[in-house]
Amino acid sequence: MNFILTYYSDAMRYIIIVLLFWGINVNAQNTKMETNSTKSVELEEVIITAAVKKKIETEMKMAVSVDEFLASSDNISFIKRGAYAWEPLLNNMSSERSTITIDGMHVFGACTDKMDPITSYVESNNLASVDIKSGQEGGMHGSTIAGSIDLKRKNTAFTECKEWKGSYQTGFEFNNKQLFNLGNISYSSNKFVADGSISYRKAENYYDGNNDEVKHSQFKKFNTSLGLAYKTNPLSSLRVDAIFDMAKDVGYPALPMDLWLSRALITSVSYKRLFEQGLIRVWDTKIYFNAIEHYMDDTKRPENLVHMDMPGWSTTYGLVSKVNLKKSNLSSEIQLNAYNNLSIAEMRMYPQDRSKRTMFAYSWPWVTTQYAGLSMNNSLEITEKSQLNFGGSLGVNHNHSKYVDFNWIFHPGAPQEKTRILPSLNASYLMNISNFNFSVGSGYGHRAPSVSEGYGYYIYNSFDRYDYIGNPDLKNEISYEVNASAGFKEERLGIEAKVNYFHIQNYIIGKILSLGSPMNYQSVGVKGYTSLDYATLFNFSINAKYDVLDHLHWKGTLTYARGKDNKQGNLPFIRPLSYQTSIQYHYRDFGFQTSVNGDLDQINYSPEYGEDETPAYTVWNISADYTFFINNVRSTVQVGAENILNEHYSTYADWGNIPRMGRNIFTSLKISF
Ligand SMILES: [Cu+2]
């Protein structure tokens, strides 16, 4: 696999470099022409994608990382182990409880310590949008409890005339000396489309609010992607896509080790067909393959007396096939998901002398997960002002552990294979009354334990300092969910409140095991994954925006969450009351924006799961930009500062209370043609 990845990376780099130069040459000679004569079906499709498209930038910053962009969504929070690869929590639930996909493709991280959430394998310049769905509404891509996050890649539409488009972004962030360069190019014609992107980021250690260096917080990331589409006939097209991502020398200040190298190759071939009439409107099928390799490194930490190499590999192939149907006032979407994943993680222990290996174990003993599921979503327009959405899915999940002996140490006689049936149902009702809109909904769904929860062996968790052991016999986690929303909208003012409540049966969490001794000298004991009878979770958010003047906009968000176990104890990683407010002002080609965000005191923390009380904090940010044109080239420059007051803080979800970045001045330039 190593060989394949290296080979692909070199080949892809070459192709992209050639494409980039070719693009620049051809564009110089190409005169642009406007066209209105696209087919109606294609137009319809373009409009749909245009409506979904949301720029990957936040109010404050036009050049953001994928993590920074996700952080601007009010139902996503993060566990942070450093400056890189934050673990997204949807509805205050850990990433095992949500499905995170790239264009519907399942990709699984190769790190037992969650250093590599899927969001770390894409880059902001190869994404068009991120589709976040809460709870069982997110069940289209497979079984879930918290919902789904689908990262949608850039995908240029066919055009009547030949067209070249491109952009280049560069920037520098002063706090951690982060330099980034992101380039994009696309070519489109009537028959053929090509999208290419390339990016490189390099950052050194960052400094906290006391101007102290946070050691081991550096990173380097290279990412490139290529997509080629060919129109096989006026209504169908074939597309090939690939992403290659490589991170090197990434520090995780909150963990006892760093990352030496992680590589991902994510590929797919898809076929899409549109239908001009009849019940079926769109049929979209994709087969995919992705391979991830992950190598940790603890040799740069002087406190480690014994060294452990913990490499991991995750290989997935799968199929997604989707049809969109429409008949009078009912539109439906049916999706078939099937995938096969193999997760392997090794633990090799060495004394100072690396020629003597003292121990070997599989922390993921070659665990295969096979999943196949059929999902359906329907939306029925009852009247012009009311709509009923309903759907469900049925999935089969099969696990196999090749080296089951490791699982037998704590669970003697546990079966080597396990098959689970994962059903899900959801319904919601939406209504508009003049300027008001309301919705109520409900959901029910199962999920299978993750590879670590089911089959993990001595996975060290530096947050509570326990080694975790998986249990192959865990029951399915079962979620019962209700949700509601109410909104008001008029010309200048918009306000929306959302609430959801989850009752999760067989909630999976680690509990101290009396047997077994810790393997790592830093760990204080062994915990086994077990099921609580139930746990409950409540999330609330309110969003408001107001156009004070034509060019002066205000926005505000307030979120609150509460999570409890079956004994009314607090669940870990639940965000305290948090707020965010921003003002944006435009004058001609100038833009100014300022924002304040923060969390209140974390009162409901959980000492049982390693948490302590985190005090309140407030962060103030400011930025300004200027846009100008030179011929047809649009350029924007931006200068700003995050955490202007240099507040020294860490959030409730900062692993090991590592302090966050202090004052950070950032500059960026974006050129697009
Ligand atoms: Cu790792």
Side-chain angles (χ1 to χ4, degrees), residues 1 5 107-111 116-118 121 262-266 289-295 312-316 342 344:
M1 192 166 64
L5 278 173
V107 185
F108 297 90
C111 178
D116 67 335
I118 304 322
Y121 292 119
S262 117
R263 274 192 291 212
L265 177 70
I266 299 163
F289 167 80
N290 57 72
I292 292 175
E293 47 182 349
H294 182 88
Y295 304 96
W313 298 269
S314 163
T315 314
T316 310
L342 173 64
I344 305 167

Side-chain angles (χ1 to χ4, degrees), residues 110-116 257-259 294-296 310:
C111 178
T112 49
D113 296 324
K114 296 191 177 180
M115 283 175 167
D116 67 335
M257 70 296 215
D258 303 305
L259 171 76
H294 182 88
Y295 304 96
M296 294 189 251
M310 293 188 289

Side-chain angles (χ1 to χ4, degrees), residues 32-106:
K32 279 178 191 158
M33 282 166 70
E34 291 292 319
T35 171
N36 297 317
S37 60
T38 358
K39 276 205 159 204
S40 64
V41 191
E42 290 169 59
L43 259 182
E44 194 182 316
E45 227 226 327
V46 172
I47 291 162
I48 293 166
T49 42
V52 177
K53 220 170 246 180
K54 196 176 144 194
K55 272 190 186 166
I56 306 286
E57 57 181 47
T58 65
E59 251 96 70
M60 286 305 304
K61 262 175 137 175
M62 63 173 187
V64 290
S65 66
V66 176
D67 290 343
E68 285 173 316
F69 175 70
L70 281 172
S72 66
S73 166
D74 56 13
N75 50 4
I76 290 192
S77 48
F78 286 98
I79 292 182
K80 295 175 185 171
R81 297 169 175 86
Y84 187 80
W86 302 340
E87 179 190 351
L89 308 179
L90 177 57
N91 282 319
N92 285 284
M93 288 185 243
S94 64
S95 50
E96 292 91 357
R97 294 190 173 86
S98 43
T99 50
I100 307 179
T101 51
I102 300 173
D103 278 337
M105 299 185 287
H106 288 261

